[in-house]
Amino acid sequence: MQDTRRNLPQLLGDARRWFEEGLLAAVEAGSVTPVSPTQTQLFAVLDGEGTTVSELARRMGVTRQTAHQAVHSLIAAGLLEQVPDPASARRRLIRRTEEGERAHRRAVRTIEQLEDQLTERIGREAADALRAALEAPWGPPPSAHQHDAAAAAAGQRHEQR
């Protein structure tokens, strides 16, 4: 019999897409410049005073080229701008324009509304437990050696049943 239970990464991915689709639907309904999920993620990790493209890429877990493309499309849309970094003449910071700030505030309000809707659907206790689990310190991902040891231990537990 095939195990149809979905693993946590699949479930977390679905949960992320639920929020992204809700946010994108709100953006489209509000006659706001449409943004992609990558652009939405970029906005979420951008510091108020500005962030370098390299740092944005690191925070997003994407290549520098992917972050660069997202930045330039948002600059073209008038939501971001490049400014000189006061700490380094060689670096440029990416920051929100006034329109970008307005869009960011709308997105934050929309996410709050989506969280409220989710709480109504799954209940306060489940929503609080979900938040607590996601906010708990997970520590660094296990190394390959730790993974092999954990898999061996899990196999032994399974055999004992």
Side-chain angles (χ1 to χ4, degrees), residues 5 10-11 21-22 27 48 52 58 67 83 107 119 123 127 133 141 148:
R5 182 177 173 180
Q10 291 169 323
L11 296 171
E21 289 172 12
V27 165
T52 64
R58 187 192 67 73
V83 296
T119 299
D148 291 342

Side-chain angles (χ1 to χ4, degrees), residues 6-153:
R6 300 181 64 221
N7 63 40
L8 283 176
Q10 291 169 323
L11 296 171
L12 289 168
D14 286 349
R16 180 180 179 149
R17 278 187 296 285
W18 185 87
F19 276 98
E20 286 175 348
E21 289 172 12
L23 181 59
L24 292 175
V27 165
E28 289 173 6
S31 300
V32 179
T33 303
V35 293
S36 70
T38 301
Q39 293 167 332
T40 301
Q41 184 183 11
L42 187 144
F43 254 75
V45 299
L46 186 64
D47 294 330
E49 66 277 356
T51 312
T52 64
V53 171
S54 295
E55 180 60 18
L56 289 169
R58 187 192 67 73
R59 291 178 185 176
M60 294 168 60
V62 299
T63 65
R64 190 177 183 287
Q65 180 181 4
T66 297
H68 198 269
Q69 289 171 342
V71 162
H72 281 283
S73 62
L74 289 167
I75 288 172
L79 299 173
L80 296 180
E81 64 184 353
Q82 279 188 350
V83 296
D85 184 345
S88 170
R90 296 182 340 189
R91 293 191 319 195
R92 312 258 311 150
L93 297 177
I94 307 304
R95 68 179 185 198
R96 295 178 196 98
T97 62
E98 283 186 40
E99 179 57 30
E101 282 295 334
R102 281 191 292 278
H104 181 67
R105 285 191 300 272
R106 283 190 301 267
V108 168
R109 284 192 305 272
T110 299
I111 290 170
E112 289 169 353
Q113 292 167 348
L114 290 167
E115 286 185 21
D116 290 345
Q117 289 175 18
L118 179 63
T119 299
E120 288 175 19
R121 292 178 182 191
I122 69 173
R124 170 62 58 196
E125 189 175 324
D128 289 347
L130 176 60
R131 177 175 293 283
L134 294 173
E135 288 178 343
W138 292 15
S143 67
H145 174 70
Q146 291 169 323
H147 175 73
D148 291 342

